[in-house]
Amino acid sequence: MVEVFKNAWTIKELRSKILFTLFIIVVFRFGSNLLVPFLDPSKIQELIQEGTLMQLMDTLTGGALGGGAIFAMSITPFINASIIMQLLTVAIPALERLSKEGDEGRKKINRITKLGTIGIAIFQATAFYISLRNVGAVHYTEGFDGILTMVSIIGCLVAGAMLVVWLGDQISEKGIGNGISIVLFAGIVSSMPRDINGLIRQVDAQNQQNYFLVPLILVIYVLMIALVVLMQNSERRIPVQYAKRVVGRKMYGGQSSHIPIKVAMAGVMPIIFAMSIMSLPQTILSFFQIDGQNDSFWDGFVRVFSQNSWVYGVLYFFLIIGFNFFYIAMQYNPIEIANNLKKNNGAIPGIRPGKPTSDFIQNSLSKITLIGAIFLGFIAVFPIIFTNVTAIQGLSLGGTTLLIVVGVILETVRQLESQMMMRHHKGFLE
């Protein structure tokens, strides 16, 4: 990986793209430290500790949420809008046809997604404001009544979210890698020193003899990174043979190919789906100032859905498996693949065209999906198990962030390699 970036730096055009990407990251980090008026960051930190979803958002924003910054919502409204658009594309035939219209169709879907991002950003900013007001994190200044303060806070958060989307688009157009992924990557990496420092403080507060846990956790994370890289690059290749055909005096076809089925095809999406569902009860009840500290029924309900609960871990694991199958079913259509093979005179060796081919692809897909689902569930649940065993807080999001960071690095390296290969390829006129 280091060699790839070193070689890319020697190419002037790629060097310019890398520098532009770094400049956008600096702008993003500046906005992540620019405070929204009328907010108390210390009270926001108390609110974040109450729910896993808030902790995930704080990690993805690089601490901007906990600091009450303008980029507090970062890219999360756009991610939610993209997920909703993916679901609607499957459910609504008009959107499905639009997605198949090539570049123009994708541009129209992207515009619809941006409009949806604005709506979701307003909703999330309003919910965030209500939560902050309930915990006393909103300061009212003389000359500003409640409505003006609310409009100022919500307006800053929504404007910040849309500016982050624009920054991501600039990286995609003029920089290196997928802009949205790079913004997520920058937020997560920037929060790592803070998380490591918090981990050391927790170990120190418990018992100085437990310092062996720090290198143990680092070793575990290295092994998890190796596992994530292995699973991200693993795939099942279904062989395909194309029949020979004669057109005039020329023969076409006859070549061999394959259908790749990646083990971790869904990426981090099933984890985000499952975490959103599991965090929903806590998020809703927090609006009513129910934090699980009392003996009422709803406080007990909050404790059951706490991120350190065994019930939470079990439900979380099975939800990830279910959402992984659901997401793959939306993205992968074995019947369409079998029909395309048949139209292009292709066939899987030993399998008849048509329904037998689609059944074979479906069976292969189900097995690979199950392996990928168990892998995602293990990556997401293992930090929760480790937290319950060692009583060290703040590790339950490690699996999600690892998947994002490793996935972005691998994707960016592949894009750099492909661009360098294009520039070193000699054209026909040379």
Side-chain angles (χ1 to χ4, degrees):
M1 182 183 71
V2 176
E3 191 68 22
V4 172
F5 280 97
K6 181 180 177 181
N7 293 334
W9 188 260
T10 61
I11 302 174
K12 182 178 180 181
E13 185 177 351
L14 291 181
R15 184 168 63 246
S16 300
K17 290 186 176 183
I18 293 174
L19 290 174
F20 180 81
T21 303
L22 292 176
F23 170 72
I24 295 296
I25 291 175
V26 171
V27 174
F28 169 71
R29 290 307 304 157
F30 175 76
S32 299
N33 291 276
L34 192 61
L35 300 182
V36 174
F38 312 119
L39 293 184
D40 183 1
S42 61
K43 294 291 185 179
I44 300 177
Q45 289 292 338
E46 297 177 5
L47 177 64
I48 289 175
Q49 297 303 319
E50 296 178 0
T52 309
L53 186 60
M54 298 289 285
Q55 291 179 20
L56 175 63
M57 291 179 63
D58 188 48
T59 301
L60 297 180
T61 59
L65 180 65
I70 289 179
F71 289 168
M73 294 193 301
S74 187
I75 211 72
T76 52
F78 182 78
I79 293 176
N80 294 330
S82 299
I83 292 173
I84 293 173
M85 278 302 299
Q86 288 180 355
L87 297 174
L88 292 178
T89 300
V90 177
I92 301 177
L95 290 177
E96 185 177 3
R97 290 192 299 270
L98 194 62
S99 65
K100 297 179 180 179
E101 291 181 1
D103 190 52
E104 287 299 320
R106 285 192 294 270
K107 288 182 179 179
K108 292 180 181 178
I109 289 181
N110 192 38
R111 285 196 291 268
I112 298 173
T113 304
K114 296 288 179 62
L115 293 175
T117 301
I118 297 176
I120 293 176
I122 294 174
F123 172 78
Q124 288 186 348
T126 304
F128 186 46
Y129 168 79
I130 294 174
S131 300
L132 295 179
R133 187 186 60 186
N134 290 339
V135 298
V138 179
H139 294 314
Y140 298 99
T141 306
E142 184 177 354
F144 283 82
D145 58 16
I147 295 179
L148 286 177
T149 302
M150 179 184 69
V151 171
S152 299
I153 294 174
I154 293 176
C156 287
L157 293 175
V158 173
M162 298 311 299
L163 181 57
V164 171
V165 174
W166 182 80
L167 292 175
D169 289 341
Q170 297 306 303
I171 293 177
S172 298
E173 293 177 8
K174 305 175 183 178
I176 290 293
N178 181 282
I180 304 303
S181 301
I182 294 296
V183 169
L184 277 175
F185 175 82
I188 293 171
V189 171
S190 63
S191 64
M192 284 183 176
R194 179 197 63 183
D195 295 339
I196 294 174
N197 185 45
L199 172 64
I200 296 175
R201 287 184 178 181
Q202 288 186 61
V203 174
D204 184 51
Q206 291 181 11
N207 190 342
Q208 292 186 354
Q209 297 179 355
N210 289 339
Y211 270 111
F212 76 93
L213 289 175
V214 176
L216 176 62
I217 292 171
L218 293 178
V219 170
I220 290 174
Y221 267 77
V222 170
L223 293 176
M224 289 178 67
I225 289 173
L227 178 61
V228 170
V229 173
L230 175 65
M231 300 303 285
Q232 288 276 7
N233 293 325
S234 299
E235 63 182 19
R236 163 77 188 279
R237 295 183 176 181
I238 300 177
V240 176
Q241 181 69 39
Y242 290 92
K244 296 180 180 179
R245 57 193 179 93
V246 178
V247 180
R249 295 184 178 182
K250 294 184 179 181
M251 181 177 294
Y252 296 92
Q255 72 270 24
S256 299
S257 183
H258 64 269
I259 301 173
I261 303 178
K262 296 186 69 68
V263 174
M265 191 187 308
V268 75
M269 285 302 178
I271 295 180
I272 295 178
F273 283 166
M275 186 173 290
S276 300
I277 295 297
M278 293 299 296
S279 301
L280 195 59
Q282 280 189 336
T283 304
I284 294 176
L285 292 175
S286 66
F287 294 156
F288 302 95
Q289 299 183 343
I290 299 175
D291 55 6
Q293 302 297 324
N294 300 316
D295 297 328
S296 67
F297 169 80
W298 292 112
D299 285 284
F301 188 79
V302 169
R303 287 192 293 271
V304 168
F305 278 85
S306 171
Q307 64 183 24
N308 296 326
S309 168
W310 289 102
V311 176
Y312 177 96
V314 173
L315 292 176
Y316 188 34
F317 180 80
F318 285 105
L319 273 177
I320 290 173
I321 293 178
F323 278 124
N324 190 74
F325 275 92
F326 174 73
Y327 190 82
I328 296 300
M330 290 194 310
Q331 300 294 317
Y332 218 94
N333 189 347
I335 298 177
E336 184 178 353
I337 296 174
N339 291 335
N340 290 335
L341 285 177
K342 189 175 180 180
K343 291 177 182 177
N344 292 283
N345 296 320
I348 299 174
I351 307 296
R352 295 195 309 273
K355 190 175 185 303
T357 298
S358 65
D359 291 341
F360 178 82
I361 296 175
Q362 181 62 59
N363 291 335
S364 301
L365 182 63
S366 298
K367 294 175 183 177
I368 298 299
T369 302
L370 179 60
I371 296 174
I374 294 175
F375 155 70
L376 289 177
F378 171 77
I379 290 293
V381 173
F382 177 79
I384 298 177
I385 298 174
F386 190 86
T387 299
N388 279 277
V389 173
T390 61
I392 295 178
Q393 305 290 329
L395 298 177
S396 59
L397 301 177
T400 306
T401 55
L402 271 181
L403 282 170
I404 295 174
V405 169
V406 174
V408 171
I409 292 176
L410 293 176
E411 178 188 3
T412 305
V413 169
R414 281 194 292 266
Q415 188 173 121
L416 280 173
E417 288 177 338
S418 65
Q419 293 196 26
M420 285 190 294
M421 187 178 300
M422 290 171 59
R423 280 160 180 77
H424 286 122
H425 179 72
K426 293 183 178 181
F428 291 108
L429 299 179
E430 295 184 4

